[in-house]
Amino acid sequence: MRKVIAFLLALAPAAFTADMPCFRWENFTTANGLPDNHVFNVAVDGKRVWAATENGLGLYENGTWKVYRPEDGLVHRAVLWVAPDKRTGDVWIATMGGLSRFSAGRFDTYTQLTSGLANDVVYGVAVLGDYVWVATAAGGSRFNTRTGQWSLYNERNTPMYEIWTYAVTATPSKVYYAVWGGGVLEYDVKTDHWKDYNDPDGETEIVLYKDQGLIHEITTSVSYVEKDKVLWVATYFGASRYDGRNWKNFLDKDSGLPSNFLNQVKAVDGNHAWFSTDKGLAYYDGENWAVYRPALDTHRPEMLVRDAAGKVTRTETETAPAHNYILGVDFDGDDIWVATAKGLSHGIRVK
Amino acid sequence: MRWAALWLAFCAVSRATVPVAAVRYPSPIELAITPDGLRLYVLCEGTDEVVAYDLPSGAVCRRIAVGRVPKGMMLTPDAKRLYVANSWSDNVSEIDTASLEVVRTLPAGFEPNAVVTDRAQRFLYVANRISNDVSVVDLATGLESKRLLAGRGASYLALSPDGSRVYCTHIYPKITTFRATPESEITVIDAARQMVADRYGLRNAAGVFHIAVSADGRLGMAAEMRPKNLIPLAHVEHGWVIGNSISLFGDDVGGVVQIPIDELDRYYTPPFDIVLTPDKSTAYVSTTGSDSVTVIDVRRLLAFVKTLSPAERSGVANDLSASANYVAARIPVGQGPKGMALAPDGKRLYVANRTGDTISIVETASRRVTGELSLGAPAANEQRRGERLFYKAAFAFHGHFGCANCHIEGTFDGLSWDLEPDGFGKDYVDNRLLEDIADTAPFKWNGSNPNLETECGPRTEKYFYRSESYDGWQLEDLVSFIKSMPLRPNRYRSAELTPAQERGKAIFERTRRKDGKPIPALNQCAVCHSGAHYTDQKLHDVGTGKPTDRSPLIDVPQLTNIALTAPYLHDGSARTLEEIWTVFNPNDTHGVTNDLQKDELNDLIEYLKTL
């Protein structure tokens, strides 16, 4: 009977949420095997789910967690990002103490002392073909896995005036870096040229020229949809969407974003994207918004829907992500995995 | 009398200056036999060809030219295609066995050494020795689809009989922390997904060669050397310093079990190829330096392994008396036996004698050589004679090892050794590449040997072999061979330097710091690393000496193909080129590098890799 009620509760938002996706949330913490509750990121890799946590790398497979830490060969316990290479099955791991490559049980280590890596504080990593792109606190690095050559990108050879690269995404045509305090850096694969995108308001936190450029210089995440040629950017002061000609910016005051403080954006396509904020997980379908979280006051699970006209509907739900402070997401078919400051959540799509 | 003296002098000069470099010897290294037993393919790395024999007549059908220095060969199960890994051309020749022509050239990584296809012949796997990976080539398109991370020195491949797994072994150990126990691995590739599925750790293994899997898939065997490089080599007469072993794996044994093939007072080294009979009754192991084939009774071997306790399983490789439980025979064959092939009816074993340039035909019932195929090699000149000596283990105490055991195929073994009888933990030395050393005297890291004759003669006899070694003529031949060793192509150097390499060259050649202050001559890279081989052939103290060294003075090493030879520094304490400066040059005594940005150091390294 309880299962039936739970199922009906899970379906209940359907009446209010138009076509917005609904989920039943299953949460993982250290109590059921997660290496640490502070989860910086999550990556879905076929039937494997990798959790980047503050105290180790977690691998969820066949219903159980396996934990990797420095004693297992991981270069550092604080894991910030995980990038599976779907061609080879290897996994690249960004940590606070260097870069690790996990391949069939073996860890190989790359640090600024033992390799050409720019810096040991590695915030992000992305794999594209034979190249591994790395975001570090001292600029970008690119590792050619065939030749072993490292190429470094910084203020001396790119239009990067701030070298604190915070995230990187790589597609066959473009590579983008989110530069914390330096906007967005674009690398054109075909032409081998770099270009930067900056806030026309400069480093001020005042939005004078909305939709005339990047919303803010403090960028935290980039997501590029190659088929639509659309770039999504997350900052600590709102989000941006750029289609190659026009910018569209999103702020909490005029969109469904629950907060302007964004840790990540992950696009589904040119019109659909997920936003990881400090006040919940947000989804945008091009017109409507949905927010999934424990309520900020009561901590009860809730879902907010903001329609195209700006009307907001709040619905109590049976379950919610483990915490409202969201750090990252990844997709698992129709499901979604969510990294939060208090655990890892698996959103099982019910509608 | 005066004429006699002149004649003797003429003879001496003649012997030393015979133009022998152009002479090429077939150097058969791998064999493949057709399922009908009528044709034998012989891969000749010295003449860059595959020689096809008609076995009933013993006649050569065709000599098929392939790429440079071919090292590996695979005949597809339907016998329609032959794939050859061309180690210096970085590609694979595909041969149509009906026309005996090369029909396609396929891509590979740096120094492809072995090839194998999956059962459906959809994908070709290529083990790349220098790039330390396995290429996956889509045979439909002829394009390389991806590279899989292997161990260091990926060299030999085998497909499991059910086609589900590809196994890869490695001739160099992993690069580990300084003075750690060597370790290698068997990389296990899932052939259905073309991904690495597992890695079997091989503890204390350094050089691992061929791998064989039984027809029922329950037993794998990998030939390997297990060095004792952490204790002084001078203890050769007190026990083995390089054990010759087989790593067993699979359901028949559970886990990995290493078993010795040596005896307490005689060594069979290094084990290279393994052939398992289809009924899993017998394994043949070629031992290149011992000019023999070891015959293992597999049933007795498996029965022996079953008697071992867990503790005994982990230590049995060190008990050389154990081999008496399963070694059935030693068959003397030609010089430098390498690859082997068993006739489909199991009655004959063919053995490629690399330095003998022949194929031994072994009658398996009697376990003796009953015939020989000739490859028509020219008469051995001094370099060829020297090459035979280089690989021969007979000169060392109990036939323990030869030059090639540590200088694997003329290269190195990736190990740091404690060589001389100066006590434990003194003067550790990193093994160095032998190619291109002819004009780089003095020798040894402390430069104490003025020439190769001293290095290879009295020093080797006293400190390594602990036995009467080469006579004068042999020593001359050996040195002649070492001086003639060809230098493999540099994979990092193109016709023009890349921008990063150009920038690195400028750093290598700079005379001033970035702040404009002059760099003292002996602190400039290009002063000590000068000349054709990038060595001034002198001793310098560059601050890399350790408390374990008797002297801080180090012979300046040549930099030829430096990218291949990790670890670095005289004792092998730097695991990567970067560590030479990021860890071991805090005071700018080994070149001035502390004013460089990280990307500039990367540029310098990119340039060094081109030398």
Side-chain angles (χ1 to χ4, degrees), chain A residues 213-260:
Chain A
L214 182 66
I215 189 71
H216 202 276
E217 288 294 271
I218 300 181
T219 54
T220 55
S221 171
V222 278
S223 183
Y224 182 64
V225 182
E226 181 149 278
K227 69 180 176 64
D228 299 328
K229 293 186 170 55
V230 169
L231 173 68
W232 296 83
V233 186
T235 83
Y236 281 172
F237 298 89
S240 293
R241 176 187 181 276
Y242 180 57
D243 63 9
R245 186 178 181 89
N246 298 306
W247 288 87
K248 168 70 178 169
N249 293 330
F250 304 95
L251 296 169
D252 57 2
K253 65 183 180 184
D254 55 14
S255 76
L257 276 178
S259 165
N260 288 334

Side-chain angles (χ1 to χ4, degrees), chain B residues 246-483:
Chain B
I246 306 292
S247 264
L248 310 174
F249 61 93
D251 292 344
D252 276 347
V253 291
V256 173
V257 182
Q258 296 169 306
I259 56 105
I261 62 167
D262 297 318
E263 296 164 12
L264 282 168
D265 56 359
R266 179 55 54 179
Y267 295 82
Y268 297 88
T269 186
F272 180 76
D273 197 8
I274 300 180
V275 168
L276 260 166
T277 55
D279 64 359
K280 209 169 66 176
S281 65
T282 307
Y284 301 95
V285 183
S286 62
T287 49
T288 307
S290 306
D291 298 339
S292 65
V293 170
T294 289
V295 183
I296 293 175
D297 184 322
V298 177
R299 293 186 181 113
R300 282 168 54 198
L301 170 65
L302 294 179
F304 170 73
V305 169
K306 279 181 183 161
T307 67
L308 300 174
S309 67
E312 289 170 331
R313 280 167 66 100
S314 64
V316 69
N318 299 334
D319 176 8
L320 304 192
S321 68
S323 62
N325 292 288
Y326 43 80
V327 170
R330 316 279 188 178
I331 307 172
V333 292
Q335 297 192 77
K338 287 281 195 176
M340 300 183 291
L342 187 67
D345 62 8
K347 293 181 177 175
R348 286 174 303 285
L349 179 75
Y350 298 89
V351 184
N353 302 308
R354 184 184 168 280
T355 52
D357 294 312
T358 60
I359 309 298
S360 290
I361 304 171
V362 176
E363 184 182 77
T364 55
S366 63
R367 292 174 178 162
R368 61 184 183 84
V369 173
T370 57
E372 189 175 88
L373 297 174
S374 169
L375 285 158
N381 61 18
E382 65 187 55
Q383 290 171 356
R384 189 59 164 178
R385 293 194 300 271
E387 186 173 6
R388 289 172 178 168
L389 295 167
F390 186 84
Y391 284 90
K392 202 172 285 291
F395 294 94
F397 183 74
H398 287 165
H400 210 133
F401 51 83
C403 310
N405 281 65
C406 298
H407 296 288
I408 297 172
E409 296 184 9
T411 62
F412 56 95
D413 57 10
L415 299 173
S416 167
W417 285 90
D418 188 357
L419 289 180
E420 302 195 6
D422 48 14
F424 280 75
K426 294 276 177 64
D427 282 353
Y428 299 128
V429 287
D430 173 51
N431 192 342
R432 283 160 69 169
L433 185 73
L434 292 189
E435 296 169 5
D436 198 35
I437 67 164
D439 300 315
T440 64
F443 300 97
K444 287 187 69 178
W445 279 104
N446 63 16
S448 63
N449 286 333
N451 51 48
L452 282 174
E453 286 76 7
T454 309
E455 176 81 10
C456 303
R459 175 177 177 259
T460 296
E461 180 171 298
K462 180 178 179 183
Y463 296 129
F464 291 175
Y465 288 171
R466 312 294 279 184
S467 177
E468 187 174 346
S469 184
Y470 313 112
D471 65 27
W473 294 116
Q474 289 171 324
L475 184 56
E476 193 172 322
D477 290 343
L478 178 64
V479 169
S480 177
F481 166 67
I482 292 172
K483 287 181 175 177

Side-chain angles (χ1 to χ4, degrees), chain A residues 288-300:
Chain A
N288 308 294
W289 291 80
V291 175
Y292 311 83
R293 66 185 183 188
L296 301 180
D297 46 6
T298 65
H299 306 299
R300 289 180 182 160

Side-chain angles (χ1 to χ4, degrees), chain B residues 538-598:
Chain B
K538 294 176 182 171
L539 301 178
H540 297 285
D541 177 0
V542 293
T544 55
K546 306 291 192 313
T548 50
D549 295 325
R550 286 179 295 176
S551 166
L553 293 173
I554 306 295
D555 174 50
V556 175
Q558 69 274 22
L559 299 183
T560 314
N561 271 335
I562 190 77
L564 317 182
T565 61
Y568 301 103
L569 297 179
H570 65 289
D571 56 357
S573 53
R575 291 170 293 177
T576 62
L577 284 168
E578 284 84 358
E579 280 195 335
I580 295 174
W581 298 284
T582 59
V583 176
F584 295 102
N585 193 34
N587 301 314
D588 278 344
T589 49
H590 187 193
V592 174
T593 53
N594 288 318
D595 65 340
L596 297 178
Q597 302 271 7
K598 181 66 175 167

Side-chain angles (χ1 to χ4, degrees), chain A residues 89-107:
Chain A
D90 293 354
V91 178
W92 294 84
I93 304 140
T95 82
M96 291 292 280
L99 178 70
S100 280
R101 180 184 193 172
F102 180 78
S103 179
R106 188 180 105 195
F107 282 98

